[in-house]
Amino acid sequence: DKSYLTLLWEGLNRNGRTPSLISGMGGVGKSYLALAYAYEALDKKAYNMIYWLMCEPESSFEKGYRNLLEAIV
């Protein structure tokens, strides 16, 4: 049996970059899994940038997305 973190790594690194989705009921550990992936990716230098966007409320998402665009431009 593979861990969810291993499955996420495999999904995101299969044939280049494959979009992956973490979903589930509240309180099952989705944010923890995403955070664990981000820290491991940071340690492995897998990405040039890792950015966490808050999606609620919508204004937070828009502000975060604007900040992300300013950081990469």
Side-chain angles (χ1 to χ4, degrees):
D1 289 326
K2 295 180 181 179
S3 72
Y4 288 120
L5 186 57
T6 299
L7 293 171
L8 185 57
W9 267 105
E10 289 175 354
L12 288 171
N13 293 292
R14 186 179 323 122
N15 299 325
R17 299 274 187 234
T18 302
S20 291
L21 173 70
I22 301 172
S23 64
M25 294 175 56
V28 296
K30 298 177 300 294
S31 295
Y32 178 81
L33 176 61
L35 191 58
Y37 178 86
Y39 276 116
E40 192 169 308
L42 183 64
D43 287 342
K44 293 182 177 186
K45 299 183 182 354
Y47 301 97
N48 294 328
M49 177 187 285
I50 297 173
Y51 200 89
W52 190 281
L53 291 173
M54 301 301 290
C55 293
E56 292 182 6
E58 187 175 340
S59 60
S60 292
F61 176 75
E62 292 169 355
K63 181 180 179 189
Y65 198 75
R66 277 194 301 273
N67 291 342
L68 173 59
L69 289 175
E70 288 173 4
I72 62 175
V73 174

